[in-house]
Structure formats: structure tokens, C-alpha cells
Amino acid sequence: MKDLIVQKYGGTSVGSVERIKMVAQRIVHGVDNGKKMIVVVSAMGKRTDELVSMAQAINESPPSRELDVLMATGEQESIALLAMAIQAIGYTVISLTGAQCGIRTSDVHRKARIEGIDTERLERELRAHQVVIVAGFQGIDENDEVTTLGRGGSDTSAVALAAAMRAERCEIYTDVDGVYNADPRVVPGARKIDQISYAEVLEMADLGAGVLHTRSVELAEKYKLPLVVRSSFNENRGTIIKEDVNQMEKVLVRGIALDENIAKISILEVPDKPGIAFRLFTSLAVANIHVDMIVQNVNRTAVNDISFTVNVDELQDAVEVSQKFAFEVGAQKVEFDQGVAKLSVVGTGVVANAEIASKFFESLYELGINILTISTSEIKLSCLIDKDRAKEAMIHIHKKFEM
Amino acid sequence: MKDLIVQKYGGTSVGSVERIKMVAQRIVHGVDNGKKMIVVVSAMGKRTDELVSMAQAINESPPSRELDVLMATGEQESIALLAMAIQAIGYTVISLTGAQCGIRTSDVHRKARIEGIDTERLERELRAHQVVIVAGFQGIDENDEVTTLGRGGSDTSAVALAAAMRAERCEIYTDVDGVYNADPRVVPGARKIDQISYAEVLEMADLGAGVLHTRSVELAEKYKLPLVVRSSFNENRGTIIKEDVNQMEKVLVRGIALDENIAKISILEVPDKPGIAFRLFTSLAVANIHVDMIVQNVNRTAVNDISFTVNVDELQDAVEVSQKFAFEVGAQKVEFDQGVAKLSVVGTGVVANAEIASKFFESLYELGINILTISTSEIKLSCLIDKDRAKEAMIHIHKKFEM
């Protein structure tokens, strides 16, 4: 749709009655500039956490289906309030829940994936209203069940809507100024990046206070949709994420990323049979567990050790799957370690450039930090290190690369 | 459906995590006794009030559609939490929103009426689960818009579901022990009534702390569905409301009702033309305003004064409609008075029995209280009096009738 902008406001941006009123003002600027607006919102501030803690006070492991019914109320609350705020300043507006907006998902509660968007109602409402407010993070499956999209869900909702409606761009409003070349909470000299490619930002998903989630960037890349990340608290320009980024200077290292939210699982003395690793990682995939760095230590005996990292949120499930696997194949035992962190340098050509890898390893050596695991992708070089020393390492490497 | 019980729990009954756990225990007693259970719940405690006050902080007169989207989150929250509590103690359960439950309503936001219930999903879930938890107070209109049912909405949801599913009975759980022969908060000697007919309880809708709303009793009467009103805080038997009530003794006066939540509107010097009152009351009906006591003072001149009472919640709307009417027909002015209350004696034959009316008027005379308006129905005699003296009058009359 021509002149259509999709905006997304996170929980802190709509955290209070006052903030909601301010966001309303920001949204109608778009209307004043002749734009059609779709606005995706998260639940207010800590509302989702409040709901989850009530659920846990009632049931230690609440059923996922009911958790989704519960959590979806958070966004439904904020869309109604934001619509009221926009109506109060004289613009025509309507709110839509995930179901009303036609966001169809898979039937995996708490981790649903968007399968498609029936845009008919959305198009009708956009013709009738200047602004359409949509509940992020939620959808509906083929049985009319309420689903939620898991981590980064509202960003994914926004990007999917922007793609489905062929919006000019998708603007993600948050509490930071954009994507930084290192986490500004950790590295004092961290700088905001003005433009960055999808691929680079994907590898730096944890920069800038975890401002963007992988899923939404992948989706934006697939549809070549320009993404803008900026603060809802000021008028700074933010970071533009798009396909081709003009680089006046050849910058090799775009940023340094630190992920402290991971854990390492090791399965010791796994019998060395063909297909055995495949069997483990298939079980983990079926359980919807995202596995990151994988290391298989081949011993001289007929047994291997298999290690991998997961997000700490998925540690409990991953350990359960691993223990079941270990029991079935006759492995010795399963160990896990939450005291690890993943430190990465990101940028086009970092892996091809031996100098960068050597500088990276040298920095860790200078600090006497042991490297537990190394992994590489086309544009990223990552080391698993001791979590206690990760921030110190990050600051040192940022300096070393003179970013 | 055979062995089906519908229960409804109000906001105070599910007002906290602890209360939700207690209600869960009460519900599963039904399952243990071989019953299928449909349980309708209201929003937790003061949640609806919190939501409304947030809305009003954002928009002085928030659009009704968005208010419905907002308010519906309250019940959605409590159904999910209650379902989690029941699952935690080992029973199979599922929650359904009004939309999921197939509660189809008219499209009048904030005051929707139930037009029908598509029971297909409900039946399927009852076959698969021991307990089905349903969000009260809400439904969905033909355009998939969220609607709410207005005052007494959750009771109405429960009775409508019980009627549609041909339940054995509908049990309304609240914070009082049942229907009283006078408001126990006002009259110290008020007694709980064990059995009462639909017609009588309809006239006493305000007894027992406003425990039942007219709409739900009318609906129960239409389908001859036995209603039980009892406390969720103890095991007392409550009040049974049904078609025929065995009366061992001939009790004429069943109860005394006081409604302080009303206001009187007077339109002065309305030109005396045929159809003019019809025109006023049609305008009020179109605006969904329920009009109660009507008095038309015919003067000797060609103008009349028309007075009527409305619920205070509807006063602002009613005054607006009246002023528009007064302007159009050339009446002199519109006045309103919130300082009035309606005191009634209810019971089969009260109007036919001259002694009761005389005792009622005598009581007011003894206290020197002026009667502003009198109205009668087959089983009720009501006087509009000064609100400041209404409680005193109620206590005096309760004594006088030796109830």
C-alpha cells in the first residue's frame, strides 16, 4: 500500500498513561505527513512479567495454551488505551487484536510462528481510519486458539505486517537510540551505527541492548523491507537496516556483540555411531530448542563428547531432552554450565581477514582469558569464554579495534 | 446436557491468587460428584475499575468500542488463571473467551445483548474436558468485534449458557449468602430467603447487596432454569430461585427493596400534544436508557410536566436526550435530582391487599417522610422518597411488617 508506514512501540514506550499519550502524538505526526499508519504495540512496561508471576503463583508449570490466553491480554490492553489516546487528539483510529488483524500462526503455544496474514480486514480498516493499532506478539491458529510468538514477538508482528502490506518501511521504537557497535551499557565508547546491512545486524542481534531479534531481521531481509530502529524518547535519527549499505570507508569490523544469556550443555562419552548426533539435534529441534555453538570432541576411544550452547530460557528443556537422549544411547552423563558467555566480532570479511581473528585472540590472551569454543560464520567470529570476564574482554577488544 | 452445572463466580470470588485457588477447589467438587462443569467468571476484584480509570486518564470520553476491547481483557485474565489453578490440582480444563465460546451479541458496545450461542465448540470442549471456564460479560458481534454486556453481564452470560446447554441449574457465587428480605447492610434483622419465585426476585433485584440483575433472572424465568445464589466464602445453602415456590405459610410481603442508585428527571411545561410522551420515551429507548417510574402531571393549561426515574449511570445520557427533546417540542426546561431513592415492598398480592399499602404509607407518615411518586406492579408497591431518609424508612418498615 502506497504511503504506508508500520511502527512498533515496545513495552517501555507505552509503559504509562503519560507515555501512551506521548506515543500518540508521535504517531499522528505520520498522519500529518500524509502517511497511512499501522502501529504495533507491546504490553505496557512490566505487565507481561506481572501476568507470568501471577500464573506461576497459581501453577508452577502453567499450561502453555492458558499462558497464551493470559499473556495476550497485555497487548489487548495497550492497543485499546493507545487507540483512545489517538482518538482524544482528534484522529480516526481503530485497534485490532492479533485475531482481528488476521495474523495466522502455527499451533505451537508460546513460540508460534506467523504462517500468513489475512489482510482483508486490515485493508478495510486502513481505508476507513487514519491509524490502525495492532496487538503485537499474538496471533490465532487454525483452531481459533490464541497464540503468542515468543521472544521478539512484537517486532516480528510489525515486520510481518509491513511485508504483507508492502509498507514503505518498518520503524521499531524502543528505549535506545539505535544499533550500537558494542553494548553501550558495557562499553563506554560504543557508537551508534547509522546504516547497517541485514546480514551484519543479524550477527549483532545482541548489540544495542538486544534491540532487535533475529526473527524480525530475517523476515525484513526476506522481503527487502527497510527497518529503522530508533528511540521513542527523543528525536534522534536511529539506525537504518537495509540491503545495501553505502560505506564511504571500508570498515571491516562493524561491531562487537556479547551474549551472556546462554548456557553450555555437554553430553559425555556418547557412543560413536553414525547418525547419533543427528538424532540428538533432531530431538532438540522437535522440542523447539534453538542450538547455537556445537562442538564434538572426537576421542581415540569409541566415544565422543558433544557440547552445544542454548539460550538460558531453554536450558531446562534442553537438559531434559539431552538426558533422555543420553539414557537412550548409553552416554555417560549430561553436564551444564551457566557461567559462559559468547563474545563476537561482526563485519563483512572478518573471517576472511586473518588479522582480525589474530587481534581478537590476542586481546583475550592479553587478559589471560581462556577460549572454551570458537565458531565462525561468513561475517562473524565468536568465542565462548568465562562469563565473569566477558564485559572486561568486550571493553578491551573495542579499544583494540579502535571503533 | 445431562449432569451439567453452570457456575458463575463474581469479581470478589476471584479477587486474588489465593481466592482463585479456593474457587478451583470448589469447582472440582462438582467434577468429583460426577458433574460436567461450565464456569463463568468475572474480572478479578477491582480490575475492571482499574482499566476504566486508566482509560479515563487517557481520554475523557473513550470510544465504546475501544472500552470493550479494554474491559474484555479483565475476564480473559481471570479465565486463564482459574484454568491454571484447576489444572494444578489435576483436572482437565480449558478456558474460552466470549468469542471462542460462541456468545454472539448485538453490536451495541458496552450494552450488548446476547443474540444466541453457537454451542458447537462448547460441546466439543465439554466432551474433552471436565471443566470449561468461560469469560463472562463479553461476546462477539457479527463483525467479530468484541462486545461487553453491561451491568450484570457475567450473570447474564452464565444464565444464557445454562439455558443454551440445558444445564440442571445455574449457580451464582458471590460475596453474600443469598437473597435477603431486606438489604442486610442496612436492616440489622434482615433474613435470608430460602426459596423465591422469579417474579418476586425480579421485583427485589436490589435486595441482598444487588446480588442478581434483572436481565439474568428474566432469562432464567424464560427458560425455567433454576437459579441458586450463594456465597463462595462459605458452605451455606443460599437461595433457590425457581418457578413455583412452596410456601408453607402464606407470606404476603417477601421483602423490602431500596434502590438509591436512581435519579429523577423532570421536563417542565411540555406542550400537551398527542404522541408527545411517546416521542420522548422512544428517544430514550433508542439511546438504550432504561426508564423506571413515570409521572405525568396534567396541568389545567395546555402544558404538562413529565417526570421519570433512571439509573444514575444513565443520568447524563438521559438528560442529554431530554434536553434535545425539550428544545424540539418547546418545553420550558429540564431538571434533575439525584437526591431520591425508591423504596418498595415486594410479594405476591401486596397491591391487591389494601392493608399492606396502608401499613407502608403509615410507616412513612410516622417518620414524616414525604412521598414524591408512587408506582405499583402486580407484586410490588414502590414509593420515591428523599434519599437521605431512605435507610431509616427501610428499617422502620421492616420492623412494622415483622419480617
Side-chain angles (χ1 to χ4, degrees), chain A residues 165-403:
Chain A
M165 296 296 294
R166 298 172 193 276
E168 276 182 24
R169 63 179 182 275
C170 180
E171 302 175 349
I172 309 283
Y173 286 87
T174 179
D175 51 358
V176 295
D177 277 358
V179 179
Y180 280 75
N181 66 3
D183 187 337
R185 295 169 308 182
V186 176
V187 180
R191 280 192 307 104
K192 199 195 70 185
I193 300 170
D194 290 333
Q195 294 194 1
I196 189 169
S197 70
Y198 299 115
E200 286 170 328
V201 88
L202 272 174
E203 295 290 12
M204 312 210 305
D206 293 287
L207 295 188
V211 79
L212 274 179
H213 285 266
T214 311
R215 291 169 69 181
S216 47
V217 180
E218 284 172 349
L219 202 56
E221 182 175 26
K222 183 170 169 190
Y223 291 95
K224 301 203 186 344
L225 174 79
L227 271 181
V228 178
V229 178
R230 54 187 295 201
S231 170
S232 67
F233 294 82
N234 61 45
E235 295 297 326
N236 296 348
R237 271 180 56 214
T239 299
I240 298 171
I241 302 155
K242 53 185 185 177
E243 189 76 24
D244 298 309
V245 175
N246 276 337
Q247 295 190 345
M248 292 293 287
E249 318 164 67
K250 180 87 181 157
V251 179
L252 275 170
V253 176
R254 295 288 286 181
I256 301 173
L258 174 62
D259 187 356
E260 295 183 293
N261 205 29
I262 59 170
K264 182 186 182 185
I265 295 178
S266 300
I267 308 173
L268 305 184
E269 298 187 17
V270 179
D272 187 11
K273 288 179 203 155
I276 208 156
F278 170 75
R279 186 166 154 188
L280 169 64
F281 292 110
T282 302
S283 304
L284 288 163
V286 166
N288 272 298
I289 295 162
H290 177 73
V291 172
D292 187 13
M293 302 171 94
I294 299 172
V295 179
Q296 189 165 338
N297 300 327
V298 181
N299 296 328
R300 291 184 197 167
T301 61
V303 291
N304 298 332
D305 297 341
I306 302 176
S307 297
F308 55 93
T309 60
V310 295
N311 193 293
V312 285
D313 291 349
E314 296 179 334
L315 178 60
Q316 198 186 331
D317 290 348
V319 168
E320 274 172 32
V321 171
S322 301
Q323 278 169 335
K324 191 160 174 286
F325 166 81
F327 177 78
E328 286 169 5
V329 302
Q332 193 214 346
K333 64 171 174 179
V334 174
E335 288 177 343
F336 62 89
D337 180 4
Q338 297 189 65
V340 295
K342 185 175 71 167
L343 190 62
S344 313
V345 290
V346 176
T348 313
V350 286
V351 171
N353 188 317
E355 196 191 335
I356 287 169
S358 121
K359 228 183 204 175
F360 188 14
F361 299 146
E362 187 186 13
S363 306
L364 294 174
Y365 170 75
E366 282 166 2
L367 296 172
I369 292 172
N370 200 23
I371 297 172
L372 305 174
T373 304
I374 297 170
S375 78
T376 59
S377 76
E378 273 182 44
I379 59 169
K380 186 179 68 169
L381 176 61
S382 301
C383 291
L384 198 68
I385 59 173
D386 184 352
K387 189 191 279 187
D388 288 342
R389 306 203 58 192
K391 289 197 171 71
E392 177 194 349
M394 191 177 188
I395 294 166
H396 185 62
I397 291 167
H398 195 265
K399 232 181 257 158
K400 190 110 180 167
F401 281 101
E402 294 166 358
M403 293 175 72

Side-chain angles (χ1 to χ4, degrees), chain B residues 247-259:
Chain B
Q247 294 190 346
M248 292 291 290
E249 319 164 64
K250 181 85 181 151
V251 181
L252 276 169
V253 176
R254 296 287 288 181
I256 301 173
L258 174 62
D259 187 354

Side-chain angles (χ1 to χ4, degrees), chain A residues 16-17 20-21 44 47 51 54-63 65-70 72-74 76-89 93-97 100 121 124-125 143-146, chain B residues 16-17 20-21 44 47 51 54-63 65-70 72-74 76-89 93-97 100 121 124-125 143-146:
Chain A
S16 67
V17 161
I20 288 173
K21 288 181 181 177
M44 291 174 72
R47 183 70 188 144
L51 291 169
M54 266 203 290
Q56 271 160 351
I58 282 176
N59 187 327
E60 279 178 20
S61 54
R65 179 202 182 267
E66 301 298 343
L67 261 180
D68 277 357
V69 172
L70 182 68
T73 64
Q76 188 168 330
E77 187 183 325
S78 48
I79 58 170
L81 292 173
L82 183 54
M84 290 172 189
I86 289 171
Q87 196 259 6
I89 52 178
V93 58
I94 191 167
S95 75
L96 298 177
T97 62
Q100 289 174 330
R121 170 131 195 209
R124 196 169 71 234
E125 300 300 354
N143 299 313
D144 288 350
E145 295 284 49
V146 177
Chain B
S16 66
V17 162
I20 287 173
K21 288 180 179 178
M44 290 174 74
R47 184 68 187 143
L51 291 169
M54 266 202 290
Q56 271 161 351
I58 282 175
N59 187 326
E60 278 179 20
S61 54
R65 182 207 180 263
E66 301 299 343
L67 261 180
D68 278 357
V69 172
L70 183 68
T73 63
Q76 187 168 332
E77 185 182 328
S78 47
I79 58 171
L81 293 173
L82 184 54
M84 291 172 189
I86 289 173
Q87 196 258 7
I89 52 177
V93 60
I94 191 167
S95 74
L96 298 176
T97 63
Q100 288 174 328
R121 168 134 196 206
R124 194 168 73 233
E125 300 299 353
N143 299 314
D144 289 350
E145 293 285 50
V146 177

